[in-house]
Amino acid sequence: MTPPVLRPFPLGAVRVDDASVFARARDEMLHLARVYPVDRLLAVFRRNAGLDTRGAEPPGNWEDFGHPDEEAWGEHDYPGREHAPTANLLRGHYAGHFLSMLALAAAGERDPVLKAKVDGFVMGLGEVQAALAATGRYSHPGFLAAYGEWQFSRLEDFAPYGEIWAPYYTCHKLMAGLLDAHEHTGNKQALPIAIAMGHWVHQRLARLDPERRQRMWSLYIAGEFGGMNETMARLAAAARVPLFLETAAFFDQENVLEAGASGTDILTDMHANQHLPQLIGYIDEYELTGEARYLQAAQGIWSQVVPGRTYAHGGTGESELWGPPGTVAGDVGHRNAETCAAYNLLKLARRLFAHTLDPAYMDYYERTVLNHVLGSRRAARSDTSPEVTYMFPVHPGAFREYGNVGTCCGGTGLENHVKYQDTVYFQGPDGLYVNLPVDSELDWAEAGLRVRLRSGYPLGEGVTLLFEGAAAEARTVHLRVPAWAAGGRELRLNGKAVDADLVPGEYTSVTRAWKTGDVLHLTTPARLRAEPMRDDERRSALFLGPTLLLARSELTTSLPFDGASLSGADAPALLAELASNGTVVLDGVAFEPCWSGLDTKYHMYVRSPEPAIAFDAPVAIEVVGEPAPSGWYTTAPEVRLHASDGTAALELRVGEGDWRPYTAPVTIDTEGVQYIEARATAPDGTTATTGLELSVDTAPPRSRATVKELGSSWEITLHADDAVSGVERIQWEGPGTFWGTFQEAFVRAIGPEPQVVEYAATDRAGNEEPRQRLVIPGKDGPR
């Protein structure tokens, strides 16, 4: 056993103040928790088990009933994809998240009504598990799902995404919800249900050889298992069943473990959120086994993601995939920063900090929980929808698409906003760690103290801790100095200055026997600053203290911004303006906080203006036209030459072509990467040459679909070609799914009516072809 150095407080011991910016999203999600019917969440499970659904409709989207002709097939009676009409194959996952949300909310709010809702939910799942066991159709009586067991057996034969959809991912969400109900609310039934599920998982995987399991987990999406290793390790500890720790190891992905521990970067083109949850599980396995490679792997992969693959708000990935290392500007697309990935990176950061005490993890946590997670929740109340983002895009002219009932990010979004208090404070063997400057109150029962934190965060410039009670012995308070704090920092205890080294991003410590009336105050001056992209210093994100500022603009090309307006900016005045108006105006542009939850179009990054043409140089090239966010010109740019000597003869060469006299602006309409050279020849025969590289791709890719009939369904494969910048992605949508990126063949069941699938390809330059339509015939339609 290797326990962490630090541990969090129970959720009910910390209360985020109602005046905090986080309270808005918390209260909106608590409203959904209180009004949403549990019967709707149980509907897909009851239908699958042949129980009365009590007239309830499922949540919808991914979380729907499935195909009307689909059956709850066992592992041996699945008729094969040629004869198996299926749909909504991830159903049940959203209910697992909702159960977690209810358990977290019940604990955090100390709310008996929410506790009763958890109890009713768990009771319903227990009834379903018993009904499924009574059929004798499944390999073990612990089986519990909203579909048959066949998806798990087909995974063991390496079925692709499309025929199946990440069955262990769904299993994880459900088991995690049950464990949350057990751990946070003390529900007596949840643990036995989870234990039965754990035995079912063990018997399914124990009979497979390790090589087969490794191949299963490597399958794109089909093999995605969420945090099953985390859940099985948690279950091993909660149930005191060592066998489940062995089961957790069945989910170890050896290439990820080896790469993380050795520092080998293998992440490019990997599915980010397919792998992030397992890193959290590796920490659980480390704590229970003491095997250092688990912790090393989690730390190693983390260092490959943060900061080299993260955007200004803490998000990562494009179209759910990681790009090359150290690439931010070069990986900006139109589907950046899946919110699920930020959810898991935050969970990973707090766990790594608890073991290592490295404050860099808390720097990331503060940035992301404020800007990405809080900003991912629409500032609106809903009785039916979590109103959260799937992607939190970063391209010019982006906007947030809220909603996401039944999707993966809809599920993690349910949890995000009812547990803001979970990392504000940690406790260690010597005292208290104050990690986040969030207005809140802590019941530090172990020390006999109550601690109130007042900061006005994120619009304040100081952190004040007020103590009530009397500690029986001296305790150390470790207070984190925010990484964004500017000069003029000061620490005072009961009004007197404390001689302390106040390094931004580090902790400062004060030890005493705390008592009623003690006040510890840290001054944290804010400043306006620009944070350049790692791979393009001319593009920057603007921060006011901890707040990432989003420029409001309808432009879809890069927004020029004169950075000179940052120098000498009056941060207190800007904070007051932001608090009063909800925006600040800089260089004539209105900026809103990233955590606003609004529906505006925005630019997360602004671009430095083009440098003035150096007319005093012998020859200079001016490019007229704006490149796409990718850096490619998607409309043909025009090149103009300028010479400081009006008598010089100017020439231009494109690529390997011949030099030709320059007499008028030239349009560069040759596709591809072109090197442009300019030459000036003075009357005395001396020459001067300069050059630059232009990437031009003005045409979208061309896509096509191939269709194969499989009896009761169609297998569809989408192809695309682009000979210039290359294909970035193909997106499609049809009944029951959304406009998203999928990389494998997919299957659509033949229903009574025709179905329309729309698809389109986008190239790496950013050109997107017009949507194409594919009509899938109904049962009686022509083939």
Side-chain angles (χ1 to χ4, degrees):
M1 297 282 288
T2 312
V5 179
L6 305 178
R7 66 187 191 277
F9 287 89
L11 289 173
V14 183
R15 174 74 183 176
V16 171
D17 192 82
D18 289 343
S20 168
V21 294
F22 295 101
R24 184 268 301 173
R26 177 199 67 197
D27 293 345
E28 289 161 354
M29 199 60 79
L30 286 173
H31 172 77
L32 181 67
R34 291 183 171 116
V35 303
Y36 199 83
V38 167
D39 282 342
R40 292 196 65 182
L41 299 158
L42 288 169
V44 291
F45 294 92
R46 287 170 170 158
R47 169 72 66 87
N48 186 62
L51 299 176
D52 181 5
T53 62
R54 305 182 185 183
E57 288 296 318
N61 206 347
W62 298 358
E63 193 79 4
D64 218 331
F65 278 135
H67 195 283
D69 296 331
E70 185 178 343
E71 295 182 29
W73 296 295
E75 60 177 340
H76 299 304
D77 57 358
Y78 171 63
R81 66 179 181 175
E82 296 83 359
H83 309 288
T86 61
N88 306 110
L89 293 177
L90 208 67
R91 60 187 183 269
H93 80 106
Y94 186 73
H97 281 297
F98 212 108
L99 179 56
S100 287
M101 184 260 279
L102 287 173
L104 295 166
E109 299 301 305
R110 301 184 180 183
D111 186 335
V113 175
L114 288 173
K115 168 68 166 64
K117 205 163 186 175
V118 170
D119 294 342
F121 201 156
V122 173
M123 182 182 296
L125 290 173
E127 292 168 352
V128 169
Q129 188 180 56
L132 292 173
T135 67
R137 194 171 196 174
Y138 308 108
S139 65
H140 188 280
F143 174 70
L144 176 57
Y147 45 77
E149 195 175 5
W150 64 275
Q151 285 204 69
F152 297 91
S153 58
R154 289 298 298 129
L155 174 61
E156 291 164 11
D157 288 331
F158 314 122
Y161 168 56
E163 181 183 358
I164 64 172
W165 191 352
Y168 279 105
Y169 175 96
T170 306
C171 182
H172 163 240
K173 304 310 174 189
L174 192 54
M175 293 185 73
L178 289 164
L179 285 174
D180 285 337
H182 164 71
E183 294 173 359
H184 292 293
T185 75
N187 180 276
K188 302 298 184 185
Q189 192 178 3
L191 186 58
I193 296 172
I195 289 172
M197 290 184 73
H199 284 295
W200 166 76
V201 172
H202 184 86
Q203 66 85 31
R204 277 225 74 90
L205 295 178
R207 60 191 182 182
L208 305 178
D209 61 73
E211 291 76 17
R212 180 173 289 266
R213 291 196 295 264
Q214 291 301 305
R215 184 176 170 188
M216 285 162 54
W217 309 145
S218 70
L219 294 174
Y220 175 77
I221 291 185
E224 184 176 357
F225 58 75
M228 277 301 298
N229 55 344
E230 175 198 7
T231 289
M232 295 309 303
R234 283 176 67 189
L235 186 59
R240 299 182 182 179
V241 178
L243 177 72
F244 292 148
L245 188 56
E246 178 185 338
T247 317
F250 289 160
F251 293 95
D252 291 352
Q253 200 164 347
E254 292 301 328
N255 66 321
V256 176
L257 277 168
E258 180 180 347
S262 66
T264 304
D265 195 313
I266 63 169
L267 300 188
T268 302
D269 293 331
M270 289 178 69
H271 187 284
N273 209 52
Q274 182 165 346
H275 299 286
L276 285 172
Q278 73 191 76
L279 304 180
I280 302 164
Y282 291 152
I283 297 176
D284 283 274
E285 291 181 84
Y286 166 69
E287 290 177 1
L288 294 176
T289 67
E291 291 186 37
R293 67 169 187 149
Y294 286 122
L295 182 61
Q296 292 166 356
Q299 291 176 289
I301 299 297
W302 169 276
S303 68
Q304 296 171 20
V305 177
V306 181
R309 287 181 169 95
T310 53
Y311 302 100
H313 61 351
T316 188
E318 159 59 16
S319 292
E320 304 187 11
L321 307 179
W322 277 310
T327 302
V328 178
D331 203 38
V332 171
H334 286 75
R335 296 189 74 243
N336 285 109
E338 182 185 9
T339 305
C340 277
Y343 160 90
N344 280 306
L345 280 168
L346 288 178
K347 292 178 71 173
L348 182 59
R350 69 195 298 269
R351 297 291 298 277
L352 288 171
F353 175 70
H355 277 282
T356 67
L357 304 187
D358 184 344
Y361 294 117
M362 281 298 118
D363 291 344
Y364 173 83
Y365 197 101
E366 182 191 355
R367 170 189 297 252
T368 307
V369 75
L370 174 67
N371 294 295
H372 191 143
V373 169
L374 179 56
S376 72
R377 201 343 172 140
R378 175 183 258 146
R381 179 168 288 194
S382 173
D383 292 354
T384 57
S385 170
E387 292 296 342
V388 295
T389 58
Y390 194 116
M391 299 296 175
F392 196 144
V394 307
H395 63 274
F399 62 95
R400 285 165 277 195
E401 297 182 74
Y402 302 101
N404 285 293
V405 172
T407 70
C408 54
C409 293
T412 54
L414 291 168
E415 299 178 40
N416 273 334
H417 307 285
V418 297
K419 60 183 182 71
Y420 283 118
Q421 72 270 43
D422 71 351
T423 307
V424 177
Y425 309 95
F426 280 174
Q427 52 188 324
D430 66 335
L432 179 69
Y433 280 74
V434 183
N435 302 316
L436 304 174
V438 176
D439 289 84
S440 56
E441 187 165 334
L442 166 67
D443 180 6
W444 190 6
E446 185 179 292
L449 294 166
R450 295 190 70 85
V451 183
R452 286 186 296 139
L453 189 157
R454 295 293 177 263
S455 66
Y457 181 84
L459 303 179
E461 294 188 280
V463 180
T464 302
L465 299 178
L466 302 100
F467 295 83
E468 296 178 9
E473 58 187 27
R475 303 271 184 161
T476 300
V477 170
H478 305 272
L479 177 59
R480 180 173 152 269
V481 181
W484 48 265
R489 299 176 298 277
E490 185 180 49
L491 184 66
R492 287 183 172 273
L493 175 61
N494 297 331
K496 297 181 179 180
V498 176
D499 184 14
D501 194 10
L502 304 177
V503 179
E506 302 286 342
Y507 284 76
T508 188
S509 303
V510 177
T511 303
R512 69 186 271 110
W514 302 92
K515 63 183 184 303
T516 296
D518 282 345
V519 178
L520 184 64
H521 178 78
L522 172 66
T523 303
T524 57
R527 63 186 174 96
L528 183 65
R529 71 186 192 280
E531 186 177 282
M533 283 181 159
R534 296 175 66 83
D535 51 335
D536 186 351
E537 292 191 352
R538 295 192 57 232
R539 286 175 170 78
S540 298
L542 302 187
F543 285 83
L544 178 57
T547 295
L548 171 61
L549 297 174
L550 303 179
R552 290 182 176 178
S553 173
E554 296 291 322
L555 286 177
T556 57
T557 55
S558 298
L559 181 67
F561 179 81
D562 185 0
S565 65
L566 272 65
S567 61
D570 185 345
L574 292 175
L575 290 169
E577 181 183 350
L578 189 58
S580 175
N581 303 334
T583 60
V584 293
V585 177
L586 302 168
D587 195 26
V589 177
F591 287 79
E592 71 180 57
C594 192
W595 40 264
S596 67
L598 299 179
D599 292 278
T600 47
K601 281 194 172 183
Y602 62 84
H603 291 240
M604 189 171 291
Y605 295 94
V606 294
R607 174 177 56 81
S608 301
E610 297 291 341
I613 298 171
F615 287 104
D616 57 343
V619 61
I621 301 173
E622 177 190 6
V623 182
V624 180
E626 185 72 28
S630 62
W632 288 77
Y633 286 85
T634 53
T635 56
E638 185 180 83
V639 166
R640 298 175 181 175
L641 303 189
H642 304 273
S644 58
D645 182 353
T647 63
L650 298 180
E651 297 172 282
L652 181 74
R653 180 165 72 175
V654 179
E656 298 297 322
D658 296 328
W659 287 100
R660 55 185 179 180
Y662 174 82
T663 57
V666 175
T667 299
I668 307 299
D669 53 11
T670 305
E671 303 281 288
V673 179
Q674 309 293 334
Y675 191 70
I676 313 299
E677 291 181 278
R679 183 167 64 186
T681 303
D684 63 2
T686 59
T687 63
T689 305
T690 189
L692 59 79
E693 187 176 87
L694 291 178
S695 300
V696 181
D697 185 355
T698 62
R702 299 175 62 88
S703 63
R704 66 190 189 282
T706 57
V707 182
K708 178 181 179 182
E709 188 173 2
L710 301 175
S712 64
S713 59
W714 296 93
E715 181 184 78
I716 302 168
T717 306
L718 300 177
H719 314 266
D721 300 292
D722 187 282
V724 184
S725 62
V727 175
E728 174 74 9
R729 62 183 178 270
I730 308 176
Q731 294 170 276
W732 67 268
E733 68 178 339
T737 187
F738 62 96
W739 187 245
T741 300
F742 302 93
Q743 295 192 328
E744 307 287 343
F746 58 95
V747 175
R748 303 298 289 179
I750 298 175
E753 302 295 332
Q755 302 177 56
V756 175
V757 172
E758 293 189 336
Y759 61 94
T762 304
D763 62 24
R764 293 187 181 276
N767 298 298
E768 183 174 345
E769 68 173 338
R771 289 195 184 196
Q772 302 196 58
R773 289 166 58 90
L774 175 68
V775 180
I776 304 171
K779 280 185 177 179
D780 301 323
R783 295 295 191 268

